[in-house]
Amino acid sequence: MGSSHHDLIVFPKAPRKEAGFQLGKVQAGLEPSDWKPFDEVGAGARELRISDAKGIFRVMYVAKFEEAVYVLHCFQKKTQATSKQDKDIAAARYRAVAIARKGKR
């Protein structure tokens, strides 16, 4: 959703590969290695947590829909708490998914 793909491909190589591997597990119906629920973005939203020597990276996604895993937002964390801006971006994209899905019914 939005710029998530671009944001993910500009991650450094190791975190980008790890994010891809973990999202592949999610697509296969498996649990990723390090995640937490992030329902304040939307019901069923989750956050992949990736730590690397180059920093801390997050991938917010929702996988509760049959047709796809929707990547809502990808970013490098700079502080302990997730910023309001990052939460707002993910929440807006979650709403866009919900609206698009309603239109396809």
Side-chain angles (χ1 to χ4, degrees), residues 25-37:
K25 288 173 71 173
V26 171
Q27 285 180 309
L30 303 171
E31 292 290 320
S33 300
D34 190 3
W35 66 276
K36 72 174 191 174

Side-chain angles (χ1 to χ4, degrees), residues 10-30:
V10 298
F11 277 11
K13 185 176 182 177
R16 182 179 67 242
K17 287 179 75 173
E18 182 64 18
F21 177 73
Q22 296 301 324
L23 287 169
K25 288 173 71 173
V26 171
Q27 285 180 309
L30 303 171

